[in-house]
Amino acid sequence: MTASLEQLRRCHFAVDLGAARTRVFVKGAGLIVDQPSVAAVNTKTGALIAVGEFAEKMTGRTPHYIRVVRPVSGGTVVDIEMAQRMLRQLLGDKVRRTLRRKPRLRAAACTPHDADPLAQRATIETLVGLGARRVELVDTLLAAGVGCGLPVEQPEATMIMVCGAAATQVAVLSLGSIVTAERIPVGGEAIDHAIVQHLRHHHELMLPSQSVRPLQLALSGNGLTSQGPTSTEIHGRDVATGLARSVQVDTAAVRDAIQTPLTAVLDGIGKVLRACPPDLVADLADRGIMMVGGSALLPGLDQMLRQATGMPVHIAERPEVCAVLGLGAMLEGRIAPLVLDRTPG
């Protein structure tokens, strides 16, 4: 754990800056922000027009002088100033005033596994710009493990898979730290992109920027397995004529299209298991993999992993908010460190 539990208990708020969504947890108030990491800016005046869901709805629908930007990419803040402006707007004046009254405002933030010092610095700078005097960093894998109720502080192996928009992180946790981990640069966005490319090449259809998620849902409950529906209707724009058109898409072909990014995820799980001590692997055979993150809800992904690994696969109760809820639990002192039993035997 990058920061100790004692340091985290002194923090006043926690932030999970994800490529897809930004979440803020305030001590005593709970999760107060859960919005897309998007901002819309007027390029003529530099004014911020909208943030969050409203800004996301503007994607692909704005006049030339309004630019929709994503200040977080791949779990890393790429535009510190815009990330600060977006967070200020999302928090609102009332919450910001409450936080500013704290004598020494402290913040906690999630960072992806193996984030380089530059990426960590960008996260710290973003929160310092909001008035934080000190920022504690916690590995997303540990925070998510705590948030979904895994016994991370115990001397037993638990395997977690954080399915993000830009990357998938897999780790084996034991005794409050990471035993072995792998970060695969393939996430929900790579799967979206594979589907978009498939429709463009095989059906000459361009999708509106926000219709890929409905396509994934059209794969239904057993989406990635052969028990799903055989075909689904997709609406888009013809590449040649530019006119609206709908096509019947074979879901088996869609499954083949997204096989490449999913194979990379399976390879990552294999690497983690191979690097893990045999005693811990024996624990994992019973306990299996816990999936968290927004892309964990991709229909049928858990079944596919179950078939490929032969291990039990579980999806957390609220997979998309596990990391920030885990940080919140640490802030509020709900996680007790392992205490050694010193009573004589």
Side-chain angles (χ1 to χ4, degrees):
M1 200 174 289
T2 328
S4 72
L5 285 170
E6 195 51 51
Q7 288 170 317
L8 286 167
R9 279 196 193 107
R10 295 188 198 130
C11 294
H12 301 100
F13 71 106
V15 178
D16 177 13
L17 277 167
R21 293 183 84 85
T22 292
R23 299 177 175 97
V24 182
F25 185 102
V26 174
K27 201 173 186 174
L31 184 64
I32 61 162
V33 172
D34 182 3
Q35 294 272 352
S37 306
V38 189
V41 186
N42 185 326
T43 52
K44 289 179 180 174
T45 62
L48 197 63
I49 295 167
V51 294
E53 277 170 11
F54 189 38
E56 191 173 52
K57 282 177 185 165
M58 292 182 178
T59 309
R61 293 182 166 91
T62 58
H64 67 92
Y65 61 90
I66 294 177
R67 197 161 58 97
V68 177
V69 293
R70 290 182 175 270
V72 185
S73 173
T76 304
V77 178
V78 289
D79 185 339
I80 294 172
E81 189 202 346
M82 190 52 68
Q84 286 173 352
R85 291 174 72 185
M86 180 185 78
L87 272 170
R88 280 193 202 106
Q89 195 75 22
L90 288 172
L91 282 169
D93 293 338
K94 191 179 172 187
V95 177
R96 285 205 337 265
R97 276 199 300 271
T98 310
L99 289 174
R100 274 205 297 262
R101 287 195 201 107
K102 310 283 183 194
R104 278 185 66 81
L105 185 63
R106 286 172 177 244
C110 288
T111 54
H113 182 67
D114 282 349
D116 58 63
L118 207 62
Q120 293 182 354
R121 187 80 222 153
T123 304
I124 292 168
E125 295 267 330
T126 303
L127 297 184
V128 166
L130 284 177
R133 301 286 293 277
R134 187 183 167 100
V135 180
E136 308 290 356
L137 298 179
V138 179
D139 197 302
T140 304
L141 289 159
L142 280 169
V146 170
C148 64
L150 291 178
V152 292
E153 292 291 334
Q154 297 305 312
E156 50 192 58
T158 51
M159 190 171 193
I160 189 160
M161 181 172 157
V162 179
C163 311
T168 301
Q169 302 170 69
V170 186
V172 174
L173 312 174
S174 181
L175 286 169
S177 58
I178 294 168
V179 178
T180 172
E182 192 72 32
R183 187 166 183 258
I184 307 125
V186 168
E189 285 173 0
I191 293 170
D192 290 350
H193 183 68
I195 293 171
V196 168
Q197 291 302 103
H198 168 76
L199 289 173
R200 191 177 182 125
H201 293 146
H202 294 86
H203 297 278
E204 296 184 343
L205 194 76
M206 278 179 74
L207 285 183
S209 56
Q210 287 161 3
S211 70
V212 183
R213 288 288 155 186
L215 172 60
Q216 290 185 2
L217 295 174
L219 292 173
S220 96
N222 300 318
L224 301 181
T225 59
S226 50
Q227 289 86 41
T230 52
S231 67
T232 183
E233 190 177 23
I234 304 297
H235 307 283
R237 193 179 79 188
D238 191 289
V239 171
T241 64
L243 299 173
R245 184 161 70 91
S246 23
V247 292
Q248 280 290 333
V249 177
D250 181 18
T251 50
V254 173
R255 282 198 296 274
D256 289 343
I258 59 181
Q259 210 56 50
T260 308
L262 291 175
T263 305
V265 172
L266 290 172
D267 289 347
I269 293 173
K271 269 187 196 170
V272 169
L273 289 170
R274 284 194 293 276
C276 193
D279 290 357
L280 293 181
V281 174
D283 279 1
L284 295 174
D286 302 330
R287 234 174 246 118
I289 306 169
M290 178 65 82
M291 290 171 66
V292 301
S295 300
L297 297 169
L298 185 62
L301 179 57
D302 55 331
Q303 278 176 280
M304 200 201 87
L305 289 175
R306 216 171 279 131
Q307 286 166 3
T309 60
M311 292 164 68
V313 178
H314 317 282
I315 299 177
E317 199 174 324
R318 292 173 67 195
E320 64 283 6
V321 292
C322 279
V324 75
L325 292 181
L327 271 183
M330 293 176 194
L331 259 62
E332 294 180 341
R334 283 183 267 139
I335 304 302
L338 181 72
V339 179
L340 295 176
D341 185 8
R342 290 199 169 85
T343 53

